[in-house]
C-alpha cells in the first residue's frame, strides 16, 4: 500500500511561512507542519495551529543555522553572541560528538525546545531536525531520549530513494546521496530501538526548495510502496530573513505545489492514501 504524509518545515520562521502553511492546509494537501519554537513568528504559528485542529504539529528541532531557545550565556560554545547556532555542520558536529561541554549544551537546548513546545499546549505529533541534523548520532540520540519524556513517538527518517526521482524528472544520483542513504540506517536503528514510529521514505531532499507543482505531480505517480513523507518549504513570499538563509529556494513555487490540482490527481491516480504520523504502526522497542 502506498501512503503519504504531506508536510512543511520551518513553521514559525516567519509570518509568510505561517500564512502559506495555513492556506495549504485549508485549501491544499498539507496535513502536517514542524514548528521552530524559537522562530521569530513562533507565537503566530501557535495561534494559527490552535485555529486549525486538524493540522498536525511537531517539533522542528534547531541545532544549526537558527535561533536557540536558551540565551548565549547558557550555550557559549555552540551559539554566537546573538543566540544563533553556526551554519557549519562540521564544526558543530565535532562540538556535539567530541567535546563534553558541547554535548552538555546540546542536551540543555534540546530539553528547552521540547519544553517550549510543551508550553504551547499543542499535541506533539512528531519531531525532526533543521537541516536533518538528527542524522548526527549525538543529536539523534538526545532528541529521542529527551523527546520520550515529552510524549515523542514519531521521527522523520530522511531516506530518499533515487528511482522515483529518476522516473519523475531529471536527477543524477551522487556518491554523497548514496552515503546519506547509508547514514540513515543508524537513525532508523535508534528510532526502532526506542519503539517509535518512522516513515519508510522521504522526498524533498534532492529537490529541496524546488518541489514545484510539475515535479511533485510527476513524483506522485512514481511513489514506492510504504509510507512516504513529502515535505516542503512554503511561503506566500520571501522576506529578508528567508532571502538571507535560503536565497535559491522557490518558496512560492512550493506553496503553489501544495495547492495544485496536478499533485492531488497524481496521488489519486497512483492510489496513494494520505495519512499522518500517528497512522503508522509503532514497532516493538528493542
Amino acid at each position: 500500500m502506498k501512503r503519504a504524509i504531506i508536510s512543511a518545515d520551518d513553521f514559525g520562521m516567519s509570518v509568510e511561512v505561517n500564512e502559506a502553511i495555513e492556506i495549504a492546509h485549508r485549501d491544499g494537501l498539507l496535513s502536517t507542519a514542524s514548528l521552530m519554537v524559537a522562530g521569530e513568528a513562533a507565537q503566530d504559528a501557535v495561534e494559527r495551529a490552535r485555529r486549525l485542529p486538524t493540522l498536525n504539529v511537531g517539533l522542528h528541532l534547531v541545532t544549526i543555522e537558527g535561533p536557540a531557545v536558551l540565551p548565549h550565556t547558557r550555550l557559549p560554545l555552540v551559539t554566537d553572541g546573538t543566540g544563533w547556532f553556526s551554519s557549519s555542520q562540521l564544526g558543530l558536529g565535532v562540538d556535539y560528538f567530541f567535546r563534553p561541554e558541547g554535548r552538555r549544551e546540546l542536551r540543555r537546548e534540546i530539553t528547552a525546545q521540547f519544553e517550549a513546545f510543551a508550553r504551547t499546549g499543542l499535541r506533539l505529533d512528531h519531531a525532526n531536525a533543521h537541516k536533518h541534523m538528527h542524522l548526527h548520532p549525538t543529536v539523534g540520540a538526545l532528541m529521542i531520549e529527551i523527546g520520550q519524556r515529552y510524549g515523542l513517538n514519531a521521527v522523520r527518517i530522511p531516506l530518499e530513494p533515487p528511482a522515483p526521482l529518476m522516473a519523475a524528472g531529471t536527477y543524477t544520483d551522487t556518491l554523497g546521496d548514496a552515503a546519506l542513504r547509508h547514514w540513515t540506517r543508524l537513525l532508523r536503528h535508534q528510532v526502532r530501538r526506542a519503539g517509535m514510529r518512522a516513515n519508510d521514505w522521504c522526498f524533498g531532499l534532492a529537490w529541496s526548495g524546488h518541489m514545484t507543482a510539475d515535479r511533485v505531480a510527476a513524483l506522485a505517480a512514481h511513489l514506492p510502496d510504504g509510507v512516504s513523507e513529502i515535505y516542503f518549504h512554503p511561503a506566500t513570499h520571501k522576506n529578508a530573513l528567508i532571502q538571507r538563509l535560503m536565497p535559491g529556494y522557490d518558496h512560492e513555487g512550493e506553496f503553489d505545489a501544495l495547492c495544485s490540482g496536478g499533485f492531488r490527481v497524481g496521488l489519486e491516480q497512483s492510489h496513494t492514501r494520505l495519512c499522518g504520523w500517528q497512522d503508522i504502526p509503532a514497532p516493538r522497542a528493542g
Side-chain angles (χ1 to χ4, degrees):
M1 181 183 295
K2 297 180 181 181
R3 293 183 290 170
I5 301 169
I6 312 301
S7 67
D9 285 356
D10 301 339
F11 196 30
M13 174 181 282
S14 74
V15 171
E16 293 83 358
V17 172
N18 298 350
E19 289 174 339
I21 287 174
E22 179 172 3
I23 296 168
H25 176 65
R26 190 180 65 233
D27 301 335
L29 293 174
L30 184 71
S31 66
T32 305
S34 301
L35 176 66
M36 303 177 78
V37 292
E40 65 178 33
Q43 186 55 42
D44 175 79
V46 171
E47 291 170 1
R48 292 173 192 267
R50 288 172 179 162
R51 299 197 301 265
L52 299 168
T54 55
L55 178 66
N56 300 313
V57 181
L59 175 64
H60 194 51
L61 182 71
V62 176
T63 61
I64 186 172
E65 197 176 71
V69 168
L70 296 176
H72 172 64
T73 54
R74 298 286 310 281
L75 308 169
L77 179 64
V78 300
T79 63
D80 63 20
T82 68
W84 269 61
F85 289 98
S86 164
S87 60
S88 171
Q89 287 187 319
L90 176 60
L92 286 173
V94 169
D95 288 339
Y96 293 153
F97 192 82
F98 291 105
R99 302 183 69 173
E101 183 53 34
R103 293 193 296 274
R104 285 192 289 270
E105 291 185 12
L106 179 65
R107 177 180 287 275
R108 287 184 208 124
E109 177 61 19
I110 291 177
T111 302
Q113 290 190 34
F114 274 106
E115 182 62 34
F117 190 99
R119 288 196 298 271
T120 68
L122 300 173
R123 179 181 63 83
L124 180 63
D125 181 63
H126 65 276
N128 53 55
H130 191 47
K131 294 187 173 293
H132 309 298
M133 275 295 284
H134 58 311
L135 284 171
H136 187 289
T138 308
V139 178
L142 288 175
M143 185 180 81
I144 291 167
E145 174 201 331
I146 295 166
Q148 284 181 307
R149 304 202 297 264
Y150 292 88
L152 178 66
N153 68 3
V155 172
R156 170 190 291 166
I157 308 293
L159 174 59
E160 188 170 50
L165 300 178
M166 293 175 180
T170 303
Y171 171 73
T172 302
D173 198 31
T174 68
L175 288 176
D177 295 331
L180 179 62
R181 292 195 297 272
H182 181 79
W183 194 248
T184 62
R185 294 178 182 177
L186 174 59
L187 177 61
R188 192 175 295 278
H189 173 71
Q190 292 174 319
V191 170
R192 284 178 174 168
R193 186 173 57 189
M196 293 187 175
R197 296 168 171 85
N199 54 305
D200 298 301
W201 316 106
C202 184
F203 295 95
L205 284 80
W207 295 339
S208 185
H210 302 280
M211 296 283 282
T212 59
D214 289 344
R215 274 182 165 172
V216 298
L219 175 64
H222 296 93
L223 290 176
D225 290 342
V227 178
S228 297
E229 184 191 11
I230 308 174
Y231 75 94
F232 295 78
H233 296 90
T236 52
H237 61 275
K238 286 191 174 186
N239 64 9
L241 175 64
I242 297 174
Q243 181 62 35
R244 176 170 64 84
L245 294 177
M246 294 169 279
Y249 275 33
D250 181 8
H251 286 79
E252 297 95 328
E254 297 212 358
F255 171 41
D256 291 341
L258 282 164
C259 300
S260 69
F263 187 24
R264 186 184 298 275
V265 169
L267 292 170
E268 291 173 351
Q269 290 181 342
S270 64
H271 304 289
T272 300
R273 182 168 63 86
L274 299 182
C275 70
W277 288 102
Q278 301 308 310
D279 297 317
I280 302 172
R284 292 183 179 181

